[in-house]
Amino acid sequence: MKVVKSVAGMKALARQWKRDGKRIGFVPTMGYLHDGHLSLVRESKARADVTVVSIFVNPTQFGPNEDFKKYPRDLEKDSAYLKKAGVDCLFYPDAAEIYPPGYRTSVEVEGLQDRLCGRSRPGHFRGVATIVLKLFDIVAPDAAFFGAKDAQQVLIIKRMAADLDLDVEIVTCPIVREPDGLAMSSRNAYLGPEGRKAALALSMSLRWAEKAVGAGERDAGRLVAGIRSILEAEPLARIDYIEAVDPATLEPVAEIRGEVLVALAVFFGSTRLIDNVRLTA
Ligand code: AMP
């Protein structure tokens, strides 16, 4: 596996691959890898000739009081993991390489960026869209792989790719969960044993919602209230938001009809976790 740190080096490698007629698959990450990330790598390997994984904890997508500094990092373990998975290239730039002095440009995906997580994390999706566009330009992927766990993120990236006529296919991969249901996340590492137990309320509440819709519930307000009461029964949980929205626009829906995205964000201490489910009625 090649490890590339410079933008110029990554661009040169991508150009060479293109000349050789290779289809490039790309998995952008912030590292501290788990099986959720690995599922994206597997999908990329199945659909592309070469796979690039980037590890970059992007400072511009963190708010001033968020966990940028303490975000978990373990490059050695991550690169061993990627090597074993058969990844062709790890792109691991540092912040000064990506945002040199004088950097001024950013991308806004208006409307979509302000809903759900965007409301409690202002500027977050501007940071995400900008870094992903830059990485697309550097890595020149034919296909890029994102997890459905970050449902709003993948929607925003798809919108950006369509709006800016990017020549990249955006592939959404299903949420990978721990055996007990907790969605895998690098941030789960922050949870102590009590928090870890409490965090199960997330997937439990969404499973309840799925069953409720299966049993005929069509009122979004009642559905959200039911999720809220499950989460409120967990003393360590502090709800950021719970919403039932149109998966294309992220606008709240009143009724569960067609496809609906139920998304939530909940704090356990200072750890903020997200989860979601798509329901069809
Ligand atoms: P991150 O390193 O958390 O920024 O995530 C990098 C990519 O992995 C994003 O596309 C995430 O949506 C995806 N991802 C993270 N956790 C999971 C998971 N549990 N299942 C599927 N994809 C995931």
Side-chain angles (χ1 to χ4, degrees):
M1 181 177 76
K2 290 192 167 67
V3 178
V4 179
K5 288 211 65 167
S6 74
V7 168
M10 189 64 241
K11 282 190 168 183
L13 182 58
R15 262 198 309 271
Q16 184 58 51
W17 276 332
K18 295 270 178 201
R19 271 197 298 272
D20 296 343
K22 304 255 194 246
R23 186 175 154 81
I24 302 175
F26 178 43
V27 180
T29 82
M30 299 206 297
Y32 215 71
L33 303 174
H34 50 67
D35 282 355
H37 297 111
L38 195 64
S39 72
L40 309 184
V41 167
R42 273 199 218 105
E43 197 61 25
S44 172
K45 284 180 64 67
R47 293 183 184 226
D49 301 312
V50 287
T51 291
V52 179
V53 174
S54 64
I55 295 182
F56 182 62
V57 184
N58 176 35
T60 66
Q61 71 190 65
F62 288 80
N65 298 317
E66 292 184 351
D67 55 344
F68 173 66
K69 279 218 177 92
K70 71 164 194 174
Y71 195 83
R73 294 161 169 92
D74 190 342
L75 182 66
E76 224 165 282
K77 199 161 149 230
D78 285 350
S79 54
Y81 198 59
L82 294 175
K83 208 165 158 184
K84 192 159 160 245
V87 165
D88 300 276
C89 173
L90 165 60
F91 180 47
Y92 177 65
D94 56 33
E97 181 78 14
I98 296 293
Y99 303 114
Y103 187 92
R104 296 298 298 162
T105 305
S106 61
V107 184
E108 308 249 358
V109 182
E110 288 170 26
L112 292 179
Q113 67 180 6
D114 303 320
R115 298 186 176 276
L116 303 179
C117 288
R119 205 166 294 146
S120 29
R121 305 188 70 190
H124 170 67
F125 288 110
R126 179 176 51 226
V128 169
T130 304
I131 186 61
V132 170
L133 181 61
K134 276 175 71 70
L135 290 169
F136 283 178
D137 184 55
I138 297 164
V139 176
D142 297 281
F145 300 82
F146 292 85
K149 202 198 88 180
D150 299 86
Q152 185 173 13
Q153 169 171 281
V154 71
L155 181 69
I156 285 173
I157 300 302
K158 278 187 173 161
R159 188 71 257 161
M160 175 181 77
D163 290 353
L164 300 181
D165 309 298
L166 304 183
D167 277 328
V168 55
E169 180 194 357
I170 307 299
V171 181
T172 311
C173 302
I175 302 177
V176 177
R177 297 179 179 280
E178 300 287 356
D180 63 6
L182 178 67
M184 289 190 182
S185 165
S186 308
R187 289 193 168 97
N188 292 349
Y190 297 143
L191 300 169
E194 292 302 305
R196 173 66 183 76
K197 242 192 271 165
L200 262 190
L202 264 58
S203 53
M204 267 171 44
S205 71
L206 293 177
R207 269 206 307 270
W208 172 83
E210 207 164 17
K211 277 202 200 118
V213 169
E217 181 60 82
R218 294 293 177 265
D219 185 278
R222 269 204 304 265
L223 196 70
V224 167
I227 295 172
R228 184 174 297 278
S229 69
I230 292 172
L231 291 170
E232 281 175 350
E234 176 45 67
L236 294 182
R238 185 165 57 83
I239 297 168
D240 179 1
Y241 70 79
I242 309 163
E243 286 195 53
V245 299
D246 179 323
T249 63
L250 305 182
E251 278 169 34
V253 297
E255 209 187 326
I256 310 297
R257 192 155 36 88
E259 219 184 359
V260 172
L261 173 70
V262 178
L264 47 79
V266 177
F267 283 97
F268 297 88
S270 58
T271 303
R272 183 178 176 280
L273 300 180
I274 57 172
D275 201 347
N276 70 78
V277 68
R278 268 177 187 248
L279 302 175
T280 314

